[in-house]
Amino acid sequence: MGTVMRNGDTRVRGLAARAGGWSARHRWAAVGIWVLFVVLAMGLGSAAGRVDVKDSDQLKDETHTAAKIIEDAGIDEPASETVLVQAREAGGKATDADFRAAVAAVMKAVEGTGKVTDVTSPYDTNTISKDGRSALVQFDMRGESDTAGDRVEPVLKAVEGVQKEHESLRIEEIGGASMMKTFDDAFGDDFEKAELSAVPVALGILLIAFGALVAALLPVLLAVSAIMATMGLMGVVSHVMPMSDTANSVMLLVGLAVGVDYCLFYLRREREERQAGRDSQTALRIAAATSGRAIIVSGVTVCVAMAGMLFTGLAEFEAMGLASLMVVAVAMVGSVTVLPALLSLLGERVEKGKIPWLHPESRLRRKRGGTNRESRFWTAVLKAVLARPVVSVVVAAGALLAIAAPALGMKTQNLTLDQEFGDSLPIVQTYNRVNDAFPGGTEPAEVVVKAADINSPEVTGALADFKAKAISSGASRGPVEIKLHDAQNLAFVYVPLVGGSDLDKAGRSLDTLRDEVRPATLGKVDGVQAPITGQVAGSKDFNDQLAGAVIPVFAFVVVFAFVLMLLSFRSLTVAITSILLNLLSVGAAYGILVAVFQHGWGASLVGAEGVGAIITWLPLFLFVILFGLSMDYHVFVVSRIREARLRGRSTKDAIQHGVVTTAGVVTSAAVIMVAVFAIFGTLSMQSMKQMGVGLAAAVLIDATIIRGVLLPAVMALLGERNWYLPKWLHRLPDLTHDEAADAVVAPAARDDEGERVRV
């Protein structure tokens, strides 16, 4: 079903065609409504403010319980800082006179800043290394921990001053505040630069693709307006489901990618029809019924994929999933409503701002009555693929399976500081030195003990037993520190874990604390809660929860994507092949990630030497994002093939027509996505680099090998079976809306072969 015209009567059927038709007829109203929506969304978001994910919402297990206890008690744990004082020479000892003088100087210097509290001497707390060469001066930053990085600079300068006076010793500061400041100084602008550069990059590529400034600006403006509206909506929605900065960054990435793609699909089809000799309004009706429908099918599929993140139970993932879902929905609505209105308003003026040298041959083609829909390169590729589909499937699938093979040995973990940043920052070296001298000292386990009376003899005795047994069990080498909060009846026990920055060993030490030490000590006191949290515990709980979410998320995304494809194309074959091809694309992306970041093959090309693992959250994140985004191309290409088939072409001819005529727009869309994602692949943080490289590689594979070779080869082999739908499935809702271009072309128009269209 589509738009059927008889004797000048236009009856529009199909949501996209109806939306496009209404917008074209009421163009100023459509533009006004969109602008009002964007302004209202931004205003409401600004008025409501954004509620960010709290620590107690991040995870569900013990880390959640511990964060909830601290939050309910109203305790804002300060940012703790540590100054390492270490003899440079092997014979130096903490008992030496100059060493003691340096420790005293550090304590006096940091106290003199007025920015710290609770400064402790290593000689009082016994924070002296086993070899006697290192000692730790510890203190807390005054004020809120979240903003401690803004206040730590005077303290860092004071420590640097002491270092200059004691050159025979190594005196270095590390802690939550100093790391926060160091990373903000080194990488704080990375995200902003990447996000800001993404828009001009997309605009530049669109300018090359269209050769006209106005046509290039439209997709970018609509994508940016969709992003702005979604930012406002995120503020409102955050009062129900908290959001985060990470969710905001992901939303911007996804919004720019799909927003530009959807407009690009629509605009290229409208332009193509005008170049075929049709008037602007007819071209717009065809674009609304064809590309508009493909956008809706793709958008709904992407939204379903993003919704998969809501099943993880992880607050950060849920925020990313909801933010991405919203921006895709907003971009989809904008593409099928306000874009037709703008195109109707602009008419031929959409070609304003032409840059002739970009497409010097376009005028010649129009003079000859041709179009620039067909790509010579893809025409040649398709000719070879369709001539030998079996060979094409074997070679392409074999190559992708080979690329995916390394993924079978994928090792995921939360990256340590040196893995994340390498040795590019001095603080990373300080982190390693502290961990070498005091295993687990920079990231101790934190036991949050809650009791009816924290000072009762039973609880006091249990705390002493826990402290002793934590060391005797081998989980810690000490020193174990206990901080009491009498008013809240809480005690915080800090336990440096044996294993330090080796997360596998530290994880085993954590298991010993949780499974052996705690039950034998604190567990024997009635009414005592003692959840164990901290960096290692948070990583372990995150990994456990993420592992439990993998199967539900995969199943949800795959099943619902299959159902949507089945309903949208009324073909069991198309639904099955789309799922299999998408899974192959994701698998190849995984293989590239493992090869580069885990095995180090070509790692020097992207600055990823020595990482040795994939960050834990990335595989599931990539699966959801890629499964959604790759549907853009698949739906667009298959819709065009199906359209040609409905117009009477043979399946083989329809495949060639569909792939070749969409090659330009798919290539342009893919280049934009790859360029935007590659920007994130240039960031210094390995987690962001892995995300950028993984997304860029997958999109590149999807737009070339999958859509240009495997899809047409598989469809050529299947022939008429591509459109197979068992009789027992005929009762399913029909969402096809047979949108062949014939249905929307006025009787006087001609089709691609120059024959009069029959209606």
Side-chain angles (χ1 to χ4, degrees):
M1 295 181 291
T3 303
V4 181
M5 300 188 65
R6 289 186 177 87
N7 300 322
D9 173 44
T10 302
R11 292 182 297 163
V12 181
R13 290 183 286 176
L15 181 60
R18 288 200 301 271
W22 185 91
S23 296
R25 293 192 304 274
H26 307 86
R27 46 201 186 184
W28 284 113
V31 173
I33 291 171
W34 178 257
V35 172
L36 182 63
F37 163 69
V38 174
V39 172
L40 281 177
M42 293 176 63
L44 288 172
S46 178
R50 195 183 79 184
V51 177
D52 286 337
V53 175
K54 296 184 292 187
D55 289 342
S56 58
D57 295 330
Q58 290 283 6
L59 297 169
K60 304 301 182 188
D61 297 318
E62 289 195 33
T63 48
H64 166 77
T65 305
K68 188 67 175 166
I69 290 173
I70 295 170
E71 184 182 302
D72 291 344
I75 296 174
D76 183 15
E77 288 191 272
S80 297
E81 289 288 296
T82 296
V83 176
L84 170 69
V85 183
Q86 187 177 68
R88 294 183 185 274
E89 303 297 330
K93 297 292 181 182
T95 53
D96 296 342
D98 60 335
F99 199 108
R100 286 181 176 274
V103 169
V106 168
M107 294 178 66
K108 182 179 179 181
V110 298
E111 284 178 331
T113 64
K115 303 291 184 181
V116 308
T117 184
D118 294 335
V119 182
T120 60
S121 168
Y123 303 110
D124 295 333
T125 58
N126 195 32
T127 48
I128 298 174
S129 64
K130 192 174 181 180
D131 62 6
R133 289 182 55 230
S134 307
L136 301 179
V137 177
Q138 297 172 309
F139 53 89
D140 295 331
M141 293 295 300
R142 294 184 184 275
E144 295 183 2
S145 58
D146 291 344
T147 58
D150 300 332
R151 302 186 301 276
V152 76
E153 186 170 3
V155 184
L156 291 170
K157 287 185 176 179
V159 172
E160 288 174 7
V162 178
Q163 171 68 89
K164 291 177 182 178
E165 296 171 1
H166 297 81
E167 294 184 356
S168 63
L169 301 172
R170 182 179 285 116
I171 302 174
E172 301 169 336
E173 182 176 347
I174 190 171
S178 52
M179 285 195 287
M180 190 185 306
K181 175 176 171 48
T182 302
F183 298 152
D184 283 346
D185 290 347
F187 310 114
D189 295 335
D190 270 10
F191 285 107
E192 187 176 351
K193 289 177 182 176
E195 291 168 355
L196 290 176
S197 60
V199 172
V201 165
L203 180 59
I205 295 169
L206 286 169
L207 197 56
I208 294 171
F210 286 119
L213 183 60
V214 174
L217 277 172
L218 278 181
V220 173
L221 290 175
L222 281 173
V224 170
S225 65
I227 290 168
M228 292 168 64
T230 306
M231 284 181 177
L233 295 177
M234 284 174 65
V236 177
V237 172
S238 69
H239 291 268
V240 178
M241 180 178 288
M243 291 292 163
S244 68
D245 289 336
T246 305
N248 196 66
S249 295
V250 171
M251 181 277 294
L252 188 145
L253 262 180
V254 174
L256 186 61
V258 300
V260 169
D261 276 8
Y262 291 165
C263 293
L264 183 60
F265 294 163
Y266 208 109
L267 191 53
R268 282 293 287 263
R269 183 58 186 266
E270 189 268 350
R271 193 186 216 203
E272 176 186 317
E273 296 302 330
R274 281 192 293 107
Q275 288 178 352
R278 292 171 178 130
D279 63 87
S280 296
Q281 293 306 311
T282 302
L284 188 55
R285 287 199 300 271
I286 295 173
T290 54
S291 291
R293 176 187 175 274
I295 288 169
I296 290 179
V297 173
S298 173
V300 173
T301 307
V302 176
C303 286
V304 167
M306 301 305 174
M309 285 194 268
L310 301 177
F311 290 83
T312 61
L314 298 164
E316 196 72 67
F317 267 68
E318 291 173 347
M320 289 191 292
L322 186 57
S324 301
L325 186 156
M326 288 193 297
V327 79
V328 171
V330 172
M332 175 183 69
V333 171
S335 298
V336 298
T337 56
V338 71
L339 183 58
L342 289 172
L343 290 175
S344 180
L345 280 169
L346 290 169
E348 295 291 335
R349 287 171 293 182
V350 75
E351 302 291 348
K352 287 285 186 181
K354 274 189 173 297
I355 305 176
W357 55 267
L358 284 176
H359 295 287
E361 78 286 358
S362 60
R363 292 191 299 272
L364 178 61
R365 269 203 292 262
R366 282 197 296 277
K367 286 179 181 179
R368 293 175 178 175
T371 72
N372 47 6
R373 284 176 293 174
E374 299 198 353
S375 159
R376 291 181 180 179
F377 172 77
W378 285 111
T379 298
V381 170
L382 259 293
K383 184 177 180 181
V385 167
L386 297 180
R388 295 179 177 82
V390 175
V391 174
S392 300
V393 168
V394 171
V395 172
L400 290 180
L401 288 173
I403 294 173
L408 296 174
M410 181 185 290
K411 176 186 177 183
T412 60
Q413 67 177 54
N414 289 305
L415 302 182
T416 58
L417 200 65
D418 54 340
Q419 286 177 312
E420 184 74 88
F421 298 102
D423 56 1
S424 59
L425 298 178
I427 203 166
V428 175
Q429 299 167 21
T430 303
Y431 171 86
N432 290 331
R433 280 192 278 266
V434 171
N435 267 306
D436 289 341
F438 303 90
T442 56
E443 297 173 352
E446 180 182 356
V447 189
V448 180
V449 183
K450 180 181 180 181
D453 181 4
I454 200 67
N455 291 307
S456 68
E458 295 86 353
V459 175
T460 302
L463 285 170
D465 290 344
F466 180 91
K467 181 176 179 179
K469 194 169 180 60
I471 296 174
S472 64
S473 67
S476 175
R477 296 195 184 103
V480 177
E481 181 185 0
I482 299 176
K483 284 188 178 181
L484 294 177
H485 295 268
D486 297 332
Q488 293 87 4
N489 281 310
L490 292 181
F492 294 163
V493 185
Y494 300 97
V495 186
L497 296 172
V498 169
S501 58
D502 186 330
L503 294 182
D504 291 335
K505 290 182 180 178
R508 290 193 289 272
S509 298
L510 175 69
D511 290 339
T512 300
L513 283 185
R514 284 179 167 179
D515 301 336
E516 299 176 18
V517 178
R518 181 176 55 187
T521 55
L522 296 169
K524 291 183 176 181
V525 182
D526 292 337
V528 168
Q529 285 182 273
I532 301 178
T533 185
Q535 185 68 35
V536 176
S539 296
K540 185 178 187 305
D541 291 346
F542 177 86
N543 293 346
D544 291 345
Q545 193 167 334
L546 192 64
V550 167
I551 293 178
V553 171
F554 270 61
F556 174 83
V557 172
V558 170
V559 169
F560 272 79
F562 172 82
V563 171
L564 282 171
M565 295 298 287
L566 180 64
L567 296 178
S568 299
F569 290 100
R570 299 285 289 180
S571 167
L572 183 63
T573 309
V574 168
I576 292 173
T577 54
S578 66
I579 297 299
L580 293 177
L581 291 178
N582 278 1
L583 289 175
L584 188 56
S585 176
V586 172
Y590 284 173
I592 290 173
L593 278 175
V594 172
V596 174
F597 293 95
Q598 186 172 317
H599 298 318
W601 303 341
S604 60
L605 299 176
V606 294
E609 302 94 328
V611 179
I614 308 301
I615 193 164
T616 306
W617 55 265
L618 190 59
L620 186 61
F621 174 82
L622 276 184
F623 171 78
V624 172
I625 296 291
L626 292 177
F627 210 90
L629 294 183
S630 63
M631 280 297 183
D632 275 358
Y633 305 143
H634 193 87
V635 169
F636 190 65
V637 175
V638 175
S639 292
R640 199 60 181 272
I641 293 172
R642 182 175 173 277
E643 177 189 329
R645 182 70 184 87
L646 289 172
R647 296 181 62 181
R649 292 176 182 256
S650 67
T651 295
K652 185 175 181 179
D653 192 25
I655 293 168
Q656 179 160 352
H657 174 80
V659 174
V660 170
T661 54
T662 58
V665 67
V666 169
T667 300
S668 300
V671 169
I672 291 170
M673 277 199 191
V674 170
V676 170
F677 294 147
I679 292 172
F680 282 78
T682 64
L683 300 185
S684 303
M685 296 174 63
Q686 289 298 327
S687 54
M688 293 298 101
K689 192 184 293 290
Q690 289 183 7
M691 182 186 77
V693 170
L695 287 170
V699 169
L700 187 60
I701 289 171
D702 195 75
T704 54
I705 300 177
I706 297 289
R707 309 304 160 205
V709 179
L710 261 182
L711 175 63
V714 169
M715 292 190 78
L717 286 174
L718 291 170
E720 292 304 310
R721 289 178 296 237
N722 280 296
W723 321 113
Y724 170 70
L725 185 71
K727 289 184 179 180
W728 58 276
L729 290 177
H730 285 188
R731 294 182 179 180
L732 289 173
D734 187 352
L735 303 182
T736 55
H737 304 300
D738 296 340
E739 73 286 2
D742 296 24
V744 291
V745 180
R750 296 178 181 275
D751 68 5
D752 295 341
E753 291 74 38
E755 296 177 357
R756 188 173 296 275
V757 176
R758 299 187 179 187
V759 294

